[in-house]
Amino acid sequence: MKVKMGKRVVNLVVGTGFLRACAKNSEVIVLSILSLSGFVLGQLAHRFVEIHRIIYPLLKTPSFSLYCYFLPIIIFVAALDVDFYILKNVFWQVLLTGSVSFFLSLTIIGYVAMKFSKEIWDLQSCMLFSITLSIIDPLHSVNSLKTIGVSKMNSDIIRGESLIICAITSIVIELFRTKILHSFMFTEIYAFINLFLDVFGSITCGYVCARIIRFIFIDLFGNTLTNVILCFSMVYMTFYIAEVFGMSGIIALITVGLNLDSLSFKPRNELIITKFLIMFSSVYHQLIYTFFGIVIGCGQIKYFKIHSVVFILILFVSLNIVRLFTIVLVSPIFMHSSYEYNWRWGIVITWSGIKGVFNLLLAPEVYNLAETKIRSPHLCILCVQMISLLTMGINSYMMTQSARILGLCSISLPRQMAMRNAIQHIQEIIQNTITLFKTEKILTNVNWTLVEEKTRIEYIIPSDAVKFSHVSQSGEQESPTDEDLTEEARLHVAIIQMSSFEKQCNDGILSVSAARILIGATKSYCPIQGKFMSIYDVSNYVRSRSWLVKFKSILTYLEYHKEKPCFIASGNSKFLFTIYQIMFSEEFEYAEYIITLMYIYPMIVHLWPIARELNVSALLSINYYFMLLYVLQAALKIIILKRKYFQQCWNTLEFFIMVIGLVDVFCVYSVKLRPENILLIQVTVVIGYFRIIRFLPIIKVIIPVLINIVDVLIKKRLSLMYSITKGYVKSQEDTKLLIKQISSRESIYQKLYDILETNRRDAVKELGLIEHEGRDVVIALKSKHAIQTVIHKAQKNLTFLWSRGIIDNHEGIEMNKVLLTKIKALNNIPMAIPPPTPDKYLPNIIWLENKEILIEFFKERAKLAYFDYGDIICKEGEMPQGIYLIISGMAILHSSPPSFGIDNTLRPGRESKSMFTEFCTSGDIIGELNCLLKREIEYTAICETTLQACFISLEDLYEGFDVFWPSLEYKIWLKLALRTASQYFESSLVGEDLTFQKCVDHNHAYVETLSSYNEMVIDNATMKFVIIVYGSVIDMKTEEPYFAPSMIPKTCEQLQGTSDLSKLLIILAPEPANNINTNTTVTVLQKSTFKRETLILGPSLSAALLLGGPMLQTSRP
């Protein structure tokens, strides 16, 4: 029988697939055909015994079993698609909407059902029927909106409301079930306990299960198939665990779905798991509609009259009226809380009351839970199924048409401009690629006209998605204002930042918790019009860690410090010395704790009235005994410590406990003398309860443990905040590379650049402050990140060798397991690593190359320099005294625009007076360039914190140049040149491994020096990039000047120096010479405007900085 049933299910699924293909994926048509087919099959089973034998096992299935079989996956898929952060911002509004919708449906639909079906249904059945129809399907309610590109926020409001109504309905239905099953013990307290378990217990259960699922999914050794099976299993396991322990499985699954996001899955796994769950959800929908069609067909047709059709139509109209009333009531709240919500969205959401599977699965409960059984249970199911199909067809169509007519799915003018910029940019990339391919000998006989025609992109915006701007009186279309463009650009910036956070997380740069916080903060601030999220907003979102620091300071103050004073001999020195030895022994301290713990049992007896009456004399004797011990303990300490006894807070507390105990003993003795004094008895009873403070001294044992726990929490928070801030800085840098594609208007571009640069500087400052606060934590985090980077690079190399067949499949899997094991072992790295001693920082100077002879040379001459907050390390215009290698602390550099060795007279039109600001932290070097040139310092360095630096004087540095001539000076220039190139031209140098050590060892790049009027020939066959990093040159052929920093174009063949000293970074092409990287970006610093104009000729738009260290940057591009 089970085999036959399985075959029928498979046949149904296959048939449904053909139906979906024929109906062009129209869900309502497919479900209507399946329902009708089920009805016909039920009628045949009603008339023919052979078919009835086949259908009968289906009819025996309990309705609650169907509820448990099908609903968990459907609810989980719906909750998984909701953005938790969007829902959190409007949670109370959505909760209010769901509650109002539920109670309005309960009242109005119940009244309508009672009015038109009072002959066959009683009041309780009508209430259960109205509860069933109050549910909004969480999947179908927004499916039609997702296909036309409406706002994610508004669709999540609809889906969030439907999930809340599902949760409320499941609680109410569960109360009805409980009342029937446990009617003999169903009381108000029992109902309150059930309600508490359904809400708070289910949420807790769902949160715990979500954490377990996250832990399973992030396992590095888990494969996709295992994750899919575990996800499917955990959904049902969560539901059944919650139901078994008296909680709501629906609420638990909603909590699980909301707590899972894209970061909960490994890269590319989310799509596979989601598609798998959606497939099962779709199959479940088809099975349910077919099954209930069969159930209706097996019923008696005599109840299906014209009155039933009228009743269904009246219910359909009533449900939409209820929906309209609900939206009218809650619209003022939504309009106040969200600037995206307006009356147009109110109209669209009015049509979102679509019914579905949840309503059908609860329809049998109208019959099962009612005390008076209705005569026509099939009529109830028919009404629910017909209303479900009507709303699924009519309401979905009206939602889509309303959104289109009211312009809610239209594309705004700023968005259209951004799309045109993106399409134009892609078309330029395609055209440049074709131009470069034309030079390949193997492609000379290609029909390039056909290639250009077939690769031309012409994206036409659909007519119903075009949002026309206001047309002026002259008939010309007005362009969008700067405010509109800025707001659209702000939303683009938020999207780019979230993509950057997710990419950093997938690359192992950012931890999952830090990425989740950053994405959550971005989504929280995104709805605020005109708001660009700063690092201070992120800090407020995470909440301040000051309470931990304050709590630690309180614990440190309360920590028990056992100070052993020197013993001073006196007259009776032998006795005092004995007391001195006893009191400061470990045994005496342990005896104190044992005495305190021993009093637990007498205290329990004292607080228990019955036991206290039976053991009055014993309690009095024990109290006297313990008070004797407390007095003896205090007396011994006072004899030795004298006045110092009260300087320790714990001694003061013990003395206070002793005094309260003596007062207690005195009161008890007074009651024996005057047993008729009621007031004295009451005072004695109250003081007796104060005996509980005798357990307070035991806290001093716990305080060291609490301090260690708080220290760990503070270090975790510091580590998290450092990761968050570093990830934020990287996202700002990534966004700055793409703002040209966001908006082509110069004013908007400049405004975005200034905002991003300001936010980046603030974040870098926060990085320095965090590093100053917890150096050991930051060192551990940086070490972990360095290990991760190395292992990830090894994984990429392994993947390359694996894909080329150099390593076979088995070896590749085993080697990958080794690397994954090392990544997993990073979780065991200590949270804090002590910073190295100052002399260990010299190997961090990259141009010393970690060579022992160079390190020893400068170690003998280096000095430690200390600066307080606000001290000036060096001033702009002063001659350099040497270089400073920062060991700890942070300094801020202020300067006018850097000259790069060029006189301002050579840059006509340069009028920028903007100040440059940069922050330097541990490991950064101040003063390298000025010491090389022996020229005035171009910036002022001020300490933002207390700062410790390793100072190498100018004389010692030049002595090193003489001893290690010429390699040392050249390597400093190479380091500065590489840093300038990576900072100003990172989009051009994507894929170039410009590490200092590789350039030194393999001569991949080198620095060329040009004096005034000296010439240099550029060989484009061997030189891939030529970048002027200091000074200025001129093209001998066109007499075009180039000022540092700029990249020399490929058309230039010969250069001549025009400054006293010019430095050029030459990046060599790999062998063979014709394999030159064709992704080229020409960046020229124009002499007239001092603005960088970038012509993007390759698809790469972002790259990581290759070298760290301080670099003066402008706040203008």
Side-chain angles (χ1 to χ4, degrees), residues 188-236:
E188 290 79 1
I189 297 177
Y190 190 80
F192 176 78
I193 293 172
N194 280 345
L195 184 63
F196 181 84
L197 285 175
D198 283 338
V199 179
F200 298 102
S202 302
I203 292 173
T204 305
C205 176
Y207 179 77
V208 172
C209 291
R211 294 299 295 265
I212 294 172
I213 293 173
R214 279 185 192 174
F215 178 77
I216 293 171
F217 283 169
I218 62 174
D219 183 22
L220 296 172
F221 295 97
N223 57 54
T224 304
L225 179 61
T226 304
N227 288 339
V228 169
I229 296 172
L230 284 173
C231 180
F232 188 81
S233 305
M234 283 299 297
V235 169
Y236 281 99

Side-chain angles (χ1 to χ4, degrees), residues 363 424 449 451 456 466 485 517 609 656 664 688 716 734 811 857 895 905 968 1094 1101:
Q424 183 181 0
T449 305
V451 172
R456 187 178 296 111
V466 176
L485 290 173
I517 288 172
F656 176 74
D664 179 30
K716 281 185 178 179
D734 292 343
E811 291 174 345
F857 177 84
S895 76
T905 58
L968 186 58
T1094 307
L1101 294 174

Side-chain angles (χ1 to χ4, degrees), residues 826-890:
L826 292 177
N827 297 325
N828 300 324
I829 286 183
M831 193 174 297
I833 297 176
T837 55
D839 60 312
K840 299 293 183 182
Y841 270 88
L842 284 176
N844 293 342
I845 301 179
I846 194 169
W847 37 265
L848 292 182
E849 299 181 83
N850 207 17
K851 291 183 178 179
E852 193 66 31
I853 185 172
L854 288 170
I855 294 171
E856 290 299 325
F857 177 84
F858 285 104
K859 185 186 292 186
E860 294 174 357
R861 293 160 175 79
K863 300 176 183 177
L864 284 177
Y866 298 92
F867 300 92
D868 290 328
Y869 169 76
D871 286 354
I872 297 176
I873 301 174
C874 54
K875 282 186 179 181
E876 185 175 359
E878 291 181 347
M879 291 300 295
Q881 302 298 317
I883 63 172
Y884 295 89
L885 170 62
I886 299 178
I887 297 173
S888 64
M890 183 176 67

Side-chain angles (χ1 to χ4, degrees), residues 1093-1112:
E1093 298 178 358
T1094 307
L1095 174 62
I1096 308 272
L1097 301 180
S1100 301
L1101 294 174
S1102 62
L1105 286 175
L1106 300 175
L1107 293 172
M1111 188 66 193
L1112 295 180

